[in-house]
Amino acid sequence: MCGIVGYIGDKKASDIIIKGLERLEYRGYDSAGIALVNGVLEIKKGKGKVANLKKMVRDHPMNGNVGVGHTRWATHGAPNDINSHPHVSKSGNIALVHNGIIENYVTLKKELQSKGHTFYSDTDTEVVVQLIEEIYQNGKDIDFEQAVQLALKQIVGTYGLAILHEKEPDQIIVARKGSPLLIGVGEGEMFIASDASPIVEHTQKVVYLDDGEMAIINKDGYEVKTIDDVVLTKEVHELSLSLEEIEKKGYPHFMLKEIFEQPESIADCLRGRLDLENNTIQLGGLVDVIDQLTDAKRLIIAACGTSWHSALLGEYLIEHLAKIPVEVEYASEFRYREQLIGEGDVMLVISQSGETADTLAALREAKERGALVLGICNVVGSTIARETHAGVYTHAGPEIGVASTKAFTAQVSVLIMIAILLGQKRNAISEDYATKLIQELNRIPQKVKQILDNGDTLEDMAKLFTYAPNFLYLGRTYNFPVALEGALKLKEISYIHAEGYPAAEMKHGPIALIDEMMPVVVIAATDHTNDKMISNIEEVKARDGRLIAIAGENNEAVTDLAEFSSVIPETLDCLTPLLTVIPLQLLSYYIAVNRGCDVDQPRNLAKSVTVE
Ligand code: G6P
């Protein structure tokens, strides 16, 4: 989704900003732009990739040491040159970039039009820059900073904003409500960005802005205050991100790199948390809340996208191992319906980015009603991580590919650990079973590696299905969420229509679609439902569906029936999702590459969905 980067210092701002925008490309976007102050305000922007913007700047260099850049993911108005950010005020003196949505922009626009303002774009953003100028020019004894504050008070909606003024060339003003922004603190130079990836090569020191805060930044420092002008002292955090982690390391795509990183990312997630001698689980982030969690009468898990699939797996795992009833909610639905949650309840939110607007809103609703809110996040210091009472980091490392892979397996690993921990605390599982689970969980990274080492079969298989118009994915119990995730991966990056279904539910609709053109991926790796799965496979076969099986290595009853098989090492039933999802990730990846799709930045998608 939209990205912001800015620089103020002594260096050539355009170089730093363009490089920063390239680092933000992974978030998903459709146009890019830059504004610099160099005596006058200079703007370059346009539809398409950062590479186009880079060419514009190469052909007509921009000088200056202060500026802001933006990648836009269209919400209001088509992705075209005019709607791209930065947007400029009527006088041409003020420029700004914006992430988020201004909900009352229609009302504000009408008011401004009645005062003689002309609007060039279809965006909600342009209202902000015109409003600031209107207040600045017509207010009595109002300086620029105050004009920004007064404008922000009139805005309803969400924003991460970075604002330049031609006549105040020594500062950038930023503000946050609902869309993340951070300040990178350098020596004699400052950076701003919507996430840490453009900053990490310049400084490890960052200040995270919270909602309702703004900052006035110049090259030697910054002042953070509320929009009501109360000056704040903010903690300076040390980034744990390294530059190496956000580069491709020789892989053609970030997604492939991240798929192949899973043996290490799962191991990193488990590290220090599995006590293999005493067969217990240590989750430091939950220590303070463990009694309340153990005694919970029910647990609500809210998330979006791939994280929602993890949540669904969490339900199967926690109900099976800890015997706590679990409800899984799409965060976007939870926030707008009757919320029967309150004191004594526990909500767990799951988010790779820790910034998803709907997930954040769900947690705030639950928190406001007195529930204990816990998080499973990947991005350290993210808003969700900061706003939850307690939680567990997945430690999967930065995930750049828009389609989530290693974050999913890390989330599932955390959920398995939580389920075992609660199962032990509640005496809901035998010590013998807990021991088996913990010891086997420790072997999972090696088994993932085994699957990846044999990935060539999937590359060959992908060639045969590259032009299939539809795919069906079927799974049962723990592998039903994996079927959903497999289908999501394929549609996200290859644009093939794909559906995931509980295998038996197929008879209630999707079976009508099955013919000799329909690839059906069956995930048959769960022992206690294997016979049932075999019946479903026979049903597909009887209708000439093209059967692809993801099956356990000794599951010949399934592999003999399938046209193609990808075999996974044996493991305990409830751990199979950590293995079965790997061939599905690879299959989607190879199909998307064969179709010439932009794997890391699929059309219309965003990595971090900061608008609802
Ligand atoms: C977007 C991403 C998905 C992700 C979802 C939820 O749609 O493209 O990969 O699963 O958001 O994101 P979160 O960061 O909350 O896990």
Side-chain angles (χ1 to χ4, degrees):
M1 203 142 275
C2 303
I4 291 177
V5 61
Y7 175 78
I8 183 161
D10 294 324
K11 297 186 185 135
K12 196 172 174 191
S14 60
D15 289 351
I16 290 170
I17 291 168
I18 300 263
K19 181 87 200 148
L21 290 177
E22 286 173 336
R23 298 255 182 244
L24 287 173
E25 285 191 290
Y26 79 96
R27 291 168 70 103
Y29 72 105
D30 40 55
S31 51
I34 182 170
L36 294 192
V37 186
N38 184 31
V40 292
L41 203 52
E42 274 189 76
I43 313 277
K44 288 201 191 334
K45 61 179 189 173
K47 185 182 171 185
K49 295 283 176 187
V50 174
N52 299 349
L53 180 70
K54 197 171 176 178
K55 186 170 178 311
M56 282 187 233
V57 176
R58 201 174 44 230
D59 294 347
H60 302 281
M62 298 173 88
N63 295 314
N65 312 114
V66 50
V68 295
H70 190 258
T71 47
R72 172 175 189 251
W73 185 87
T75 58
H76 296 55
N80 59 29
D81 294 352
I82 293 174
N83 290 334
S84 312
H85 301 206
H87 288 281
V88 181
S89 66
K90 192 170 144 200
S91 70
N93 287 342
I94 308 169
L96 61 74
V97 294
H98 166 224
N99 290 356
I101 290 178
I102 309 300
E103 288 169 9
N104 59 340
Y105 85 101
V106 176
T107 321
L108 293 172
K109 192 169 177 174
K110 279 189 189 144
E111 278 172 27
L112 289 162
Q113 279 167 329
S114 71
K115 290 178 180 162
H117 287 265
T118 308
F119 286 82
Y120 301 96
S121 76
D122 307 316
T123 65
D124 51 337
T125 301
E126 200 184 350
V127 158
V128 185
V129 74
Q130 307 290 15
L131 181 62
I132 294 172
E133 181 158 277
E134 170 66 27
I135 296 171
Y136 186 43
Q137 285 181 343
N138 298 319
K140 268 199 185 138
D141 300 326
I142 283 180
D143 64 23
F144 185 57
E145 190 187 315
Q146 287 166 326
V148 171
Q149 287 171 332
L150 290 170
L152 295 183
K153 285 184 194 166
Q154 291 190 38
I155 287 172
V156 178
T158 54
Y159 52 79
L161 284 167
I163 311 161
L164 296 177
H165 191 317
E166 189 179 280
K167 308 281 184 260
E168 312 251 0
D170 300 326
Q171 68 175 33
I172 305 176
I173 296 185
V174 295
R176 169 193 166 142
K177 188 180 164 212
S179 283
L181 260 191
L182 46 94
I183 305 170
V185 183
E187 296 203 355
E189 57 183 1
M190 297 284 154
F191 307 84
I192 53 162
S194 44
D195 73 42
S197 47
I199 284 185
V200 67
E201 59 206 278
H202 304 291
T203 177
Q204 295 289 317
K205 291 196 173 70
V206 296
V207 173
Y208 297 101
L209 286 193
D210 287 308
D211 281 354
E213 292 177 2
M214 62 186 293
I216 296 86
I217 301 166
N218 53 51
K219 71 180 184 130
D220 296 313
Y222 55 89
E223 183 178 49
V224 180
K225 46 171 73 174
T226 67
I227 64 165
D228 294 317
D229 214 35
V230 179
V231 175
L232 304 167
T233 308
K234 298 284 288 184
E235 191 181 341
V236 179
H237 294 262
E238 209 46 52
L239 286 176
S240 54
L241 195 67
S242 73
L243 185 58
E244 208 200 8
E245 284 177 301
I246 56 169
E247 301 207 310
K248 278 191 206 151
K249 289 194 204 154
Y251 283 90
H253 296 100
F254 280 110
M255 183 179 176
L256 190 64
K257 173 187 162 228
E258 286 156 8
I259 292 173
F260 274 84
E261 274 174 354
Q262 287 174 107
E264 296 90 63
S265 56
I266 299 174
D268 288 345
C269 176
L270 302 176
R271 184 162 301 116
R273 292 166 167 175
L274 301 184
D275 179 341
L276 297 166
E277 279 181 14
N278 300 307
N279 292 304
T280 53
I281 302 282
Q282 320 287 337
L283 291 173
L286 296 183
V287 168
D288 293 344
V289 295
I290 195 64
D291 291 342
Q292 204 178 332
L293 185 55
T294 306
D295 295 340
K297 294 276 172 293
R298 67 167 182 160
L299 185 60
I300 296 172
I301 314 184
C304 303
T306 288
S307 298
W308 188 87
H309 297 154
S310 300
L312 200 55
L313 251 166
E315 176 180 358
Y316 282 83
L317 289 160
I318 293 169
E319 292 194 343
H320 171 54
L321 297 174
K323 313 282 184 268
I324 301 176
V326 177
E327 286 166 36
V328 176
E329 300 273 359
Y330 285 108
S332 53
E333 285 298 305
F334 175 82
R335 64 184 290 194
Y336 288 119
R337 66 182 180 81
E338 195 65 46
Q339 289 147 11
L340 302 178
I341 189 168
E343 267 176 53
D345 283 325
V346 182
M347 174 181 269
L348 172 64
V349 292
I350 305 177
S351 175
Q352 185 286 128
S353 62
E355 304 292 350
T356 302
D358 284 319
T359 311
L360 183 57
L363 99 78
R364 285 177 178 164
E365 292 286 350
K367 200 173 173 184
E368 209 173 290
R369 285 169 170 70
L372 172 71
V373 288
L374 310 176
I376 297 177
C377 290
N378 193 37
V379 177
V380 177
S382 56
T383 310
I384 292 178
R386 286 182 288 133
E387 290 202 15
T388 39
H389 293 120
V392 183
Y393 279 120
T394 46
H395 295 313
E399 190 178 68
I400 308 289
V402 162
S404 186
T405 52
K406 64 175 181 169
F408 174 77
T409 45
Q411 289 167 347
V412 174
S413 303
V414 168
L415 286 160
I416 293 169
M417 289 190 282
I418 292 177
I420 300 172
L421 174 66
L422 292 178
Q424 288 181 311
K425 292 239 169 253
R426 289 165 62 91
N427 293 320
I429 43 171
S430 68
E431 278 316 307
D432 190 34
Y433 187 31
T435 301
K436 272 198 192 129
L437 282 163
I438 291 169
Q439 296 294 328
E440 180 59 12
L441 193 49
N442 190 46
R443 288 190 278 268
I444 290 290
Q446 185 49 38
K447 294 188 176 184
V448 170
K449 183 163 184 313
Q450 232 175 292
I451 299 171
L452 291 168
D453 288 346
N454 297 317
D456 297 356
T457 336
L458 291 147
E459 197 169 355
D460 293 340
M461 211 189 284
K463 288 182 192 140
L464 299 168
F465 293 104
T466 295
Y467 297 103
N470 295 292
F471 259 79
L472 189 61
Y473 288 73
L474 303 175
R476 279 174 176 265
T477 66
Y478 300 109
N479 283 300
F480 159 52
V482 175
L484 296 179
E485 176 59 11
L488 178 67
K489 277 309 77 113
L490 188 70
K491 72 183 132 197
E492 279 178 314
I493 59 169
S494 73
Y495 320 139
I496 294 175
H497 171 248
E499 302 235 27
Y501 254 81
E505 194 64 19
M506 167 187 73
K507 290 192 285 297
H508 303 285
I511 199 164
L513 302 171
I514 295 175
D515 60 15
E516 69 285 354
M517 299 293 286
M518 175 67 111
V520 182
V521 181
V522 291
I523 306 145
T526 323
D527 283 350
H528 76 287
T529 54
N530 205 43
D531 291 346
K532 306 288 170 200
M533 198 69 198
I534 290 169
S535 307
N536 300 133
I537 291 172
E538 293 282 13
E539 287 156 8
V540 173
K541 218 173 149 63
R543 286 155 186 88
D544 296 330
R546 313 272 319 257
L547 265 163
I548 302 167
I550 312 298
E553 58 196 353
N554 299 319
N555 201 350
E556 274 138 24
V558 167
T559 50
D560 286 351
L561 285 172
E563 190 178 349
F564 303 97
S565 297
S566 173
V567 164
I568 59 149
E570 290 300 327
T571 190
L572 296 168
D573 267 14
C574 65
L575 305 187
T576 53
L578 289 170
L579 304 184
T580 50
V581 76
I582 309 290
L584 301 186
Q585 295 168 345
L586 285 173
L587 184 65
S588 314
Y589 172 79
Y590 290 124
I591 289 178
V593 169
N594 293 344
R595 288 165 71 95
C597 296
D598 188 346
V599 172
D600 284 335
Q601 292 158 37
R603 68 182 181 208
N604 303 337
L605 295 182
K607 182 73 188 158
S608 175
V609 180
T610 48
V611 296
E612 56 172 295

